[in-house]
Amino acid sequence: MAAGVAAWLPFARAAAIGWMPVANCPMPLAPTEKNKRQDELIILNVSGRRFQTWRTTLERYPDTLLGSTEKEFFFNEDTKEYFFDRDPEVFRCILNFYRTGKLHYPRYECISAYDEELAFYGILPEIIGDCCYEEYKDRKRENAERLMDDNDSENNQEGSMPSLNLRQTMWRAFENPHTSTLALVFYYVTGFFIAVSVITNVVETVPCGTVPGNKELPCGERYAVAFFCLDTACVMIFTVEYLMRLFAAPSRYRFMRSVMSIIDVVAIMPYYIGLVMTNNEDVSGAFVTLRVFRVFRIFKFSRHSQGLRILGYTLKSCASELGFLLFSLTMAIIIFATVMFYAEKGSSASKFTSIPASFWYTIVTMTTLGYGDMVPKTIAGKIFGSICSLSGVLVIALPVPVIVSNFSRIYHQNQRADKRRAQKKARLARIRVAKTGSSSAYLHSKRNGLLNAALELTGSSDDEQHISKSTSLIESQHHHLLHCLEKTTNHEFIDEQLFEQNCMDNSMQNYPSTRSPSLSSNNGGSTSCCSRRNKTTTHLPNSKVPATRLQSMQELSTIHIQCSEQPSLTTSRSSLNMKSDDGLRPNCKTSHLTTAIISIPTPPALTPEGESRPPPSSPHPTMNISTTCSNVVKVSAL
Amino acid sequence: MNLEGLEMIAVLVVLVLFIKVLEQFGLFEPVSLEDSVEDEFELSTVCHRPEGLEQLQEQTKFSRKELQVLYRGFKNECPTGLVNEENFKQIYSQFFPQGDSGMYAAFLFNAFDTDHDGSISFEDFVAGLSVILRGTIDDRLSWAFNLYDLNKDGCITKEEMLDIMKSIYDMMGKYTYPAMREEAPREHVENFFQKMDRNKDGVVTIEEFIESCQKDENIMRSMQLFDNVI
C-alpha cells in the first residue's frame, strides 16, 4: 500500500458504512490506539542540515530505521532532535520516500554511496520508482562488472591457488600469455604460423610464370610440393595447439562447444579430409570447396587481437538490431522488386525477367551501389527506382547508429578495464607502502616503548616524555591492543625483512626440523615475558640473528604466527589487506618447505605472485622448480 | 492498361509526397481536426481551494486539528484539490488489492459527490466523513440509505440492492473460503429484503430501512464502530 494513501485509510474505513446494514453477523472489534498521540513534528538533524517532518509520516514504513524505534538510538537529549552523521544530500531522497511513497535515484550520486545509505536506513533498493529504476540498475550493473574485473585481476595477480598442476598451468598459459615466457613464445609462434598459412592460401592462387604450352599457372600448381610442405607444417602446429588446449581445458565438453575451438577444427579439417580423399575423383569437386574453409584460419587471430574480439562481441550484442535491419531490408527488397518487375514488364529487352531477378537490382539500388547492369527504362520504372534508392538510404541508416553506440560503449568499457589494470600496479604499490607504514609504526613504537622502559630503569624522565608524546591516544590504544595480543599468544610481531632473514637462516641450519612446522613446536620453547623482551632488542633490522636451535624453532613458530596475525596490524583498506594476507599465509608454508631443502641464492620474494610453486617432492625436480620459481617471480614483476 | 495504371499510381505517389513536403514547410495548412487533447489538459490544471478552516469547522463536526490532518492527506493524493472518479477508484483500489473495488468505489463516489458535478472537492469529502464519523446513528443510517439508493428516488429496489451486493462481493476477489458462488449476492439480497421490507411491496423506503436497522442489534453495534476512526 503506498504511503500517501495511508492518509486515506480513515476514509476507507468510513466508507465501510455501506457494508454494515447488509451484514448478517456482528462486526469484529476495531483496534484501538494505545496512546493516541497528537501528531508532532520531528526534527532530523543530518550532519547539520535540519529536516522536519511529522511523526506519522515516518511511521508509514515501520520496518525502516526512521519508522521504527531504532531511531531512538540517535536521539540527542540536549537538543531534542535525532542526529545522523550521514550525507544530507542522499537523506533528502530518503525523506522524500517517506513523504511521497516513491524512492528516486539522483543521477549525480555514486551508486555505492547510495546503496550504503539505503542499507543504513533500512530501505530496500527494489522500491525505487519506475522513473529511476532503469538508471539505477544500469549503474549497478556497471559497478558490479567493475568489481568483478577488480576481483578477477587481483586473483590473477595474486593467484589464490598455491599449487597448480600441469593441466591448470597450461590452461592459464593459454588464456593469459603474459603469465610466462613459454606461453608468450607459444602465442607469438602460433600467430606467426596463422599469418603464414593465410598468406600461403592467398599466394597459391597468384599466377606466376608460364609453362611451355602457353598456359598461365597459379603458383600453387607450380610449386606444389613447397606449398604442400608449408601447409602441412601449419596444420601440424595447429593440430598440436588444439590438442594441447583440449588437454588443458578445465571442462573439455564446454571447450569443444566454444566458438574458438570450432574455428580451430574447421581450420584444420580440410587438410585431413584432403589427405583421405585424394584418390577419389568424384568428390574432388567437393574437396576443392572444402579448401575454402581454410580461410577460416584468419579467425584464429581473434585470440591474438582484442579489437577483433570486441567487434565480435558487439555484433553479438547487437543481434536484435541487426536482425531488425535484415528484416526491414528484406521487406523493402521484396516490395520494390515486385513493383519494378511489373513496371518494367512491358518494356522490350528488359533485364527484369522475374521478381528474383529484380532482387539484384533492388539490393544494388538500395545500398546505393548502382552497378548499372540493370536499369529501368520505363517512366514508372524510373520513378519507382528513385523512390527505391531514397528509401534504401533511410532504412540502412536507421539501425546503424545503435550498432555504433553499442560498439563504442563496449570499446570504452574495455579501455577502462585496461586503464584500471595499468593503474592497479601503482595503486597497489601505494597501498602497500601505507600498510607497511602502519605496521612499522607499531614496531617503531614498541622499540620506543622498550627505550621507555630502559629509561625508566635509568631514571631519566625528560626523554621519556619526549618519546611518549609522539603517538596519539588512538594510536597508543591500538598499540596497547596489539601488545595485549602478543602477551596472550606469547609471540611477537616482527617486520618483513627480519622474517625473510629468519627464513633464510633457518633454511641453512634446520633442514630436518622444519619438516613439520606446527604450533606445537612452540611449546618446547618456554618463554617468559621478560626473556621475550630481551629477544626483541636483538630483532632490530640489519642484525644477524645468532642461530641457536631453540631460538630458531621459536622464531619459526613466531614467523608462522606472525603470518596469520598480519591482518590485525593494518587498519586501512581492510579488504585488500585480507587478500594480500591470504596470499602471505600459504607463502609462509611453502617458503618453509622449499627453503628447507635447497639453499636458494636469491631470497624468496614475498610478493603474492610467488606462491604458485608446487610442493617439492624430490631434490631434482625441486631444482627445476626453484628455477621456475625464480622465473615466475621475474616475469610477474613487470 | 497495366502500364498506364502503374504510371498513374506512380504519379499519385509523387503528388502525395510533394504535398507532405509542402506541409512541412508550412505553406499548406490542411484542415486540422479537433484538438481534444488540449481540452483534457485544461481540466487537470484547474485548482480548487476549499473554504476557510473556520467555515469548515462550522459546517462539520471535526475539530481544527482533525481538519488539518484530513486536508493534508487529501491534498497529498490529489494536489489539484479535486478528485475525479478515476482517481477515486484508483485510490480506493489500493486498499483492496485482491478484488475489484471499482463498482463499489463508483457508488461511493456518487454518494460523496452531493452536487453531482463529477468531482469531489474537499468540502464534499469532509461533509460526507463528518456524517459518517461524527453524526448520529440516524444520520449514518440515512447516509447509508443514500448510498444504496442509486437513482436517488427515495426507495431501494431489488435490482439496486443486487448491484450493490455484487459490488461488495466483487471486492472479495476470486480466492475466498468457501469458494464464491454465483448465487451468493442474490441470496444475500433476498435475506436483506426479508428483513427490511415491512410491507412486502418489493422496495425499501427510508423509514422502513431506519426502523428495521434500529431493531437489529448487530447493525446498531456496528454503527458505533465509526466513532473511533479518526
Side-chain angles (χ1 to χ4, degrees), chain A residues 1-2 4-30 32 36 38-39 54 60 99 339 342-343 346 378-380 383-384 387, chain B residues 3 6-7 10 13-14 65 72-74 76-78 88 91 94-96 104 108 112 125 129 132-133 140 143 147-148 161 165 168 171 188 191-192 195 209 218-219 222-223 225-226 229-230:
Chain A
M1 204 173 68
V5 196
W8 280 56
L9 186 58
F11 157 71
R13 295 177 72 196
I17 194 172
W19 312 339
M20 302 302 157
V22 279
N24 291 330
C25 31
M27 291 287 136
L29 287 173
T32 52
K36 197 169 171 170
Q38 286 295 1
D39 210 358
W54 298 108
R60 284 182 192 161
R99 290 180 183 138
V339 169
Y342 283 111
T378 61
I379 298 179
I383 290 177
F384 285 116
I387 297 177
Chain B
L3 278 177
L6 265 178
E7 273 187 12
V13 166
V14 169
K65 270 219 163 13
R72 270 188 253 133
F74 183 83
N76 215 10
E77 268 310 293
C78 322
F88 192 83
I91 292 173
Q94 302 208 17
F95 293 103
F96 302 98
Y104 190 68
L108 276 179
F112 270 95
F125 180 70
L129 280 185
I132 300 175
L133 301 178
R140 291 177 188 172
W143 199 94
L147 171 70
Y148 296 146
M161 205 55 222
M165 202 61 76
I168 295 180
M171 280 199 283
H188 206 140
N191 206 333
F192 178 79
K195 236 187 343 179
F209 182 71
N218 284 337
I219 298 182
S222 52
M223 282 292 153
L225 275 177
F226 294 102
V229 170
I230 283 196

Side-chain angles (χ1 to χ4, degrees), chain A residues 356-565:
Chain A
S358 316
F359 281 169
W360 174 244
Y361 167 75
T362 319
I363 293 175
V364 164
T365 313
M366 279 184 90
T367 52
T368 70
L369 277 175
Y371 288 134
D373 54 350
M374 283 165 85
V375 283
K377 296 202 171 59
T378 61
I379 298 179
K382 287 189 178 156
I383 290 177
F384 285 116
S386 40
I387 297 177
C388 171
S389 64
L390 286 174
S391 64
V393 167
L394 279 178
V395 167
I396 292 184
L398 279 175
V400 168
V402 176
I403 299 175
V404 165
S405 79
N406 255 350
F407 181 79
S408 155
R409 178 177 60 86
I410 295 173
Y411 180 69
H412 282 303
Q413 260 181 9
N414 260 302
Q415 268 199 334
R416 259 186 284 135
D418 286 340
K419 240 193 277 184
R420 264 205 306 277
R421 267 190 283 271
Q423 288 169 351
K424 194 172 245 334
K425 287 202 185 66
R427 234 176 64 194
L428 281 181
R430 281 203 304 271
I431 289 166
R432 210 169 296 144
V433 165
K435 269 179 3 193
T436 51
S438 86
S439 67
S440 55
Y442 175 58
L443 298 166
H444 188 68
S445 79
K446 242 194 354 186
R447 285 195 284 278
N448 286 342
L450 297 169
L451 284 173
N452 252 350
L455 286 171
E456 266 177 42
L457 295 173
T458 60
S460 74
S461 54
D462 299 320
D463 294 331
E464 192 186 296
Q465 277 176 9
H466 166 69
I467 288 168
S468 56
K469 261 200 195 114
S470 57
T471 55
S472 66
L473 178 61
I474 287 190
E475 261 191 75
S476 53
Q477 285 174 341
H478 186 214
H479 295 329
H480 172 251
L481 183 67
L482 295 171
H483 198 49
C484 292
L485 184 59
E486 282 181 337
K487 286 278 186 296
T488 313
T489 55
N490 262 333
H491 290 80
E492 285 198 351
F493 294 113
I494 55 172
D495 61 8
E496 265 190 56
Q497 298 137 328
L498 272 176
F499 171 62
E500 280 179 57
Q501 260 181 344
N502 292 337
C503 274
M504 253 177 43
D505 296 338
N506 292 323
S507 76
M508 308 282 193
Q509 276 120 37
N510 293 315
Y511 164 43
S513 64
T514 55
R515 276 290 186 171
S516 53
S518 64
L519 292 176
S520 58
S521 63
N522 178 34
N523 297 335
S526 62
T527 55
S528 67
C529 292
C530 295
S531 63
R532 286 257 103 190
R533 259 281 172 87
N534 288 338
K535 218 205 303 285
T536 316
T537 54
T538 64
H539 279 190
L540 293 170
N542 301 325
S543 72
K544 201 80 167 112
V545 178
T548 63
R549 182 141 179 217
L550 196 60
Q551 229 183 25
S552 44
M553 284 277 286
Q554 287 163 349
E555 273 152 31
L556 263 185
S557 347
T558 309
I559 293 155
H560 193 77
I561 299 298
Q562 183 242 332
C563 297
S564 47
E565 298 310 354

Side-chain angles (χ1 to χ4, degrees), chain A residues 156-157 168-184 612 628 631-638:
Chain A
N156 284 342
Q157 273 191 13
Q168 284 163 334
T169 335
M170 274 175 69
W171 184 249
R172 262 188 74 202
F174 281 134
E175 292 301 302
N176 310 330
H178 300 284
T179 48
S180 70
T181 330
L182 194 63
L184 212 55
S612 55
T628 51
N631 280 346
V632 167
V633 168
K634 239 197 298 186
V635 169
S636 61
L638 280 170

